């Protein structure tokens, strides 16, 4: 059962999140300044984490550690996304909604829920009066966070340098961690999100389990099936689908979990689909291009015949 304090913290963080996202939504719409969109989402984590910690006024180690991990990760992400958008000038992901208030509002709604849901483990831990000794779940969760945060940091650093290099113009990123995963940053993001959940297990009881699970499940589904991999895979296939080297890269490189290309490239397709997230939706554009090229080639042969 959720305690009265749990409900109080959930309500408080929801209201603050709505207000925070509404503030930046008005800036984006009224001033037509969409560069604040991603910053609004990533900085919202810091607001919730610190708010719930300060609301308790007395803290134990688990609360301080989990809150600190959230603040460190989200602050780094917010600063990185802000620098990136200021450096690149615009984010192509926002092109379709730039002049559509409804789409902008929906985007803010989704990222507000993203921030609120991912911080649920921290919210529940900070709301709890329980303080069991540090257990194996704490160490495992903190380790998952550390690995995920480092992977995401290294992936972002390499991608940022790659995109800003004149020699990389018109190419896809396949250096550093991007040799082993087509989306290592998303792998890191998903891993650390589950790390928060695992680290909160020692204090969870009853329905608190279901509340805390919302965050990592939402992030995983969002990145795998909605705004993450499907969008970027389609965009990359559109740009490079006719390049043989790219098709080889895609065939030999894991979509999410970093693996050596020599290993991944030799795995059967069913194994990739079942265990390594190589879903057909990630190659729809590529298959469509290949079918179109085959049909065009067939027509040319018929004309020559």
């Amino acid at each position: 059962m959720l305690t009265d304090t749990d409900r109080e913290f959930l309500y408080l963080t929801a209201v603050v999140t709505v207000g925070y996202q509404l503030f930046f939504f008005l800036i984006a719409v009224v001033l037509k300044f969409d560069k604040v969109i991603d910053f609004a989402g990533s900085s919202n984590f810091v607001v919730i984490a610190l708010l719930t910690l300060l609301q308790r006024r007395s803290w134990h180690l688990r609360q301080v550690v989990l809150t600190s991990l959230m603040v460190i990760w989200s602050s780094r992400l917010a600063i990185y996304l802000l620098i990136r958008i200021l450096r690149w000038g615009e984010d192509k992901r926002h092109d379709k909604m730039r002049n559509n208030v409804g789409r902008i509002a929906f985007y803010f709604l989704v990222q507000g829920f993203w921030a609120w849901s991912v911080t649920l483990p921290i919210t529940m831990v900070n709301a709890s009066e329980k303080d069991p000794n540090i257990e194996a779940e704490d160490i495992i969760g903190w380790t998952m966070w550390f690995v995920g945060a480092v992977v995401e940091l290294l992936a972002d650093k390499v991608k940022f340098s790659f995109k800003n290099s004149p020699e990389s113009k018109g190419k896809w990123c396949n250096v550093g961690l991007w040799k082993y995963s087509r989306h290592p940053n998303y792998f890191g993001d998903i891993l650390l999100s589950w790390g928060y959940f695992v680290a909160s297990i020692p204090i969870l009881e009853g329905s608190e389990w279901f509340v805390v699970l919302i965050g990592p499940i939402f992030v995983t589904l969002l990145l795998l099936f909605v705004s993450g991999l499907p969008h970027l895979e389609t965009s990359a296939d559109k740009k490079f689908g006719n390049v043989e080297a790219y098709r080889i890269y895609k065939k030999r490189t894991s979509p999410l979990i970093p693996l050596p290309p020599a290993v991944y490239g030799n795995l059967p397709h069913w194994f990739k689909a079942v265990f390594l997230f190589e879903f057909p939706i990630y190659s729809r554009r590529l298959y469509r291009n290949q079918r179109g090229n085959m049909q065009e080639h067939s027509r040319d042969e018929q004309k020559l015949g």
Side-chain angles (χ1 to χ4, degrees), residues 65-185:
V65 170
L66 267 181
T67 301
S68 299
L69 295 183
M70 177 60 75
V71 170
I72 291 169
W73 168 74
S74 50
S75 297
R76 198 284 305 177
L77 182 62
I79 293 170
Y80 166 72
L81 292 175
L82 185 61
I83 292 174
R84 188 181 70 173
I85 192 65
L86 293 176
R87 179 66 180 269
W88 294 351
E90 64 178 16
D91 191 330
K92 292 183 178 179
R93 294 175 305 161
H94 301 158
D95 288 347
K96 292 183 179 179
M97 67 177 184
R98 188 162 284 119
N99 297 312
N100 189 314
V101 175
R103 286 188 175 182
I104 295 176
F106 180 74
Y107 194 93
F108 273 98
L109 179 66
V110 171
Q111 75 171 6
F113 184 77
W114 170 50
W116 181 80
S117 64
V118 172
T119 52
L120 284 173
I122 288 80
T123 299
M124 290 290 97
V125 168
N126 286 344
S128 177
E129 295 181 356
K130 297 187 289 289
D131 182 20
N133 293 329
I134 299 301
E135 300 178 9
E137 291 90 342
D138 294 285
I139 304 303
I140 294 172
W142 298 346
T143 302
M144 290 171 66
W145 178 91
F146 179 77
V147 173
V150 169
V151 168
E152 188 178 50
L153 172 63
L154 294 177
D156 285 344
K157 182 177 183 298
V158 170
K159 186 68 170 288
F160 189 78
S161 299
F162 182 86
K163 294 278 284 187
N164 286 310
S165 173
E167 292 79 13
S168 302
K169 188 174 182 179
K171 299 179 181 179
W172 64 93
C173 185
N174 60 352
V175 295
L177 284 172
W178 301 83
K179 289 181 183 178
Y180 308 103
S181 168
R182 304 201 299 269
H183 305 281
N185 54 333

Side-chain angles (χ1 to χ4, degrees), residues 170-172 182 232-251 282-294:
K171 299 179 181 179
W172 64 93
R182 304 201 299 269
L232 293 179
E233 290 285 311
T234 299
S235 177
D237 288 353
K238 183 178 179 180
K239 292 179 183 176
F240 309 113
N242 292 323
V243 180
E244 179 64 20
Y246 168 77
R247 294 197 295 270
I248 293 174
Y249 166 77
K250 187 163 185 174
K251 183 178 180 181
Y282 301 155
S283 298
R284 284 182 300 189
R285 178 84 189 203
L286 195 63
Y287 295 151
R288 195 158 54 239
N289 288 347
Q290 289 176 338
R291 286 196 298 268
N293 291 338
M294 290 175 63

